[in-house]
Amino acid sequence: MTGAAGGAGDAAAAPLLSVENLVKHFPERGGLGRRGRRVVHAIDGVSLAIAAGETLALVGESGSGKTTLGRTVLRLHEPTSGRIVFDGVDLGALAARPLRALRRHMQMIFQDPASSLNPRMTVEEIVAEPLAIHGIGAGRAARRDRVAALLERVGLRADALPRRPHEFSGGQRQRIGIARALASQPKLVVADEPISALDVSIQAQIVNLLGDLQTEQRLAFLFISHDLKVVRHLAHRVAVMYLGEIVEIAPVAALYATPSHPYTRALLSAIPSVDPNARRRRLVLEGDPPSPLAPPSGCRFHPRCPIYAEKRDPACATRRPPLAPFAGASPGHRAACHYAGPEAAATATGKPSRALG
């Protein structure tokens, strides 16, 4: 599961999941008579692909649309428009019953293990629920054996079966959530900040567990995170989101070595270093992200962009840059910036940048 190991395959050539021009808008919430006037642009025209056995990490500030994208891919949110194809099947064309059957192969690990597990259910009932829903296992005894084997695989003993979630630590509860996600033998797992609520020592254990499970079962992961240090060690490719759009996508080695979009460079420059002698110029991000109720015209990043602040190019404010290869890009490296490549790399301010939220 590590980026150092290289890619798991060419997602564009043989994707398990293909997302094309995905859009998700939510009506504005407000007082009486205000609902429906405006919409929240949570996702606007996102396209990506994930191969079997690959980890695509999705990073960006809070509010960039990462979680909404993960949930919409699984059709936990209905897309406003666009196309989602999973294992050759167009999810948008499926009625409720066939979609439910296909969901056996698409599962999710949630950010907060405390709130994602039913406190009234035992661990056995929680992990066995997907087995019962999808008719896996011949009878209760067979399902109980399978649940015990799953718990053992994620590092929990069989004596956990009759206990309830509140009796476990945060790391143990996340392991229960992982066992539940794996119960139906999925091909794709959307992991939404699965380690952010855990202690650092437990985070490493969970990341190693996910890597081992991916190797054993050739799982594909959409790994949503704001921790760029963790992403560097677990992803094959990284997609950077800003205000509902993907602004850069690349193999992990290329993204960290030669980030092209100024937003990506700002995020990477904010990663803390354990080397006291390391000297790194940081890029400033002035202000907060604009409201998704009224995203800027042109490049959505231009109001905070150091390149725009220097050049004041009207194209940045009026023309939306496509997510595309650029001069000098390595294979699979694309960015949505009119100045992608050396121009972005040359722009720095030396001021402290904001860390990921």
Side-chain angles (χ1 to χ4, degrees):
M1 193 171 178
T2 61
D10 186 352
L16 174 68
L17 174 73
S18 177
V19 175
E20 302 171 9
N21 296 316
L22 190 64
V23 174
K24 178 58 184 176
H25 293 166
F26 295 98
E28 178 188 16
R29 293 182 178 181
L32 184 65
R34 293 184 60 193
R35 185 177 178 86
R37 282 187 180 177
R38 297 187 298 175
V39 296
V40 176
H41 295 250
I43 308 172
D44 260 339
V46 166
S47 297
L48 56 83
I50 305 176
E54 181 188 30
T55 297
L56 175 65
L58 195 61
V59 303
E61 291 170 293
S62 296
S64 60
K66 304 186 302 296
T67 293
T68 300
L69 177 57
R71 290 174 175 266
T72 306
V73 161
L74 300 182
R75 270 190 66 182
L76 298 178
H77 295 318
E78 286 297 319
T80 302
S81 64
R83 192 163 179 252
I84 306 168
V85 178
F86 176 75
D87 207 12
V89 178
D90 187 343
L91 299 189
L94 294 182
R97 188 182 294 272
L99 176 62
R100 184 177 183 180
L102 191 64
R103 280 214 174 107
R104 168 181 176 174
H105 303 294
M106 304 182 297
Q107 293 294 318
M108 189 163 190
I109 301 171
F110 296 91
Q111 178 177 2
D112 184 1
S115 62
S116 64
L117 303 176
N118 190 329
R120 297 184 178 183
M121 297 174 69
T122 66
V123 170
E124 179 180 1
E125 291 169 336
I126 289 170
V127 181
E129 187 174 30
L131 303 178
I133 289 173
H134 297 291
I136 303 170
R140 182 174 179 180
R143 288 173 183 165
R144 185 184 182 93
D145 291 342
R146 181 169 175 82
V147 170
L150 283 165
L151 292 177
E152 181 179 358
R153 183 61 196 88
V154 300
L156 296 173
R157 297 196 302 266
D159 61 9
L161 288 170
R163 298 164 64 187
R164 285 178 166 78
H166 73 271
E167 301 178 59
F168 297 89
S169 67
Q172 290 172 324
R173 285 195 291 263
Q174 193 60 290
R175 291 173 186 269
I176 295 168
I178 293 171
R180 177 181 60 184
L182 298 178
S184 62
Q185 297 180 311
K187 298 178 181 180
L188 171 70
V189 174
V190 175
D192 184 11
E193 301 273 12
I195 62 173
S196 63
L198 307 178
D199 293 338
V200 174
S201 59
I202 305 301
Q203 288 181 0
Q205 296 176 22
I206 298 299
V207 167
N208 290 336
L209 172 61
L210 293 176
D212 292 342
L213 292 169
Q214 182 178 53
T215 300
E216 294 170 9
Q217 303 181 29
R218 204 163 181 252
L219 290 170
F221 281 98
L222 178 60
F223 191 91
I224 300 168
S225 180
H226 66 269
D227 192 332
L228 286 162
K229 293 183 70 175
V230 171
V231 164
R232 184 170 192 169
H233 294 286
L234 64 83
H236 299 107
R237 292 185 300 133
V238 183
V240 182
M241 283 197 76
Y242 183 81
L243 207 61
E245 299 179 344
I246 292 179
V247 297
E248 187 164 4
I249 187 168
V252 65
L255 187 99
Y256 282 78
T258 56
S260 179
H261 197 283
Y263 178 62
T264 307
R265 291 183 56 78
L267 297 183
L268 293 177
S269 73
I271 299 175
S273 175
V274 296
D275 183 357
N277 299 316
R279 293 185 179 182
R280 179 169 48 193
R281 299 183 72 187
R282 293 188 174 183
L283 300 181
V284 68
L285 295 184
E286 297 288 355
D288 295 319
S291 169
L293 284 167
S297 60
C299 172
R300 291 188 175 179
F301 183 61
H302 85 264
R304 304 172 73 194
C305 179
I307 297 178
Y308 179 72
E310 177 184 330
K311 296 184 176 295
R312 294 292 171 178
D313 186 342
C316 297
T318 58
R319 289 198 291 114
R320 183 178 180 179
L323 183 66
F326 51 91
S330 57
H333 196 164
R334 293 176 289 154
C337 177
H338 296 302
Y339 289 90
E343 193 73 50
T347 304
T349 65
K351 300 178 183 179
S353 71
R354 300 167 62 96
L356 279 165

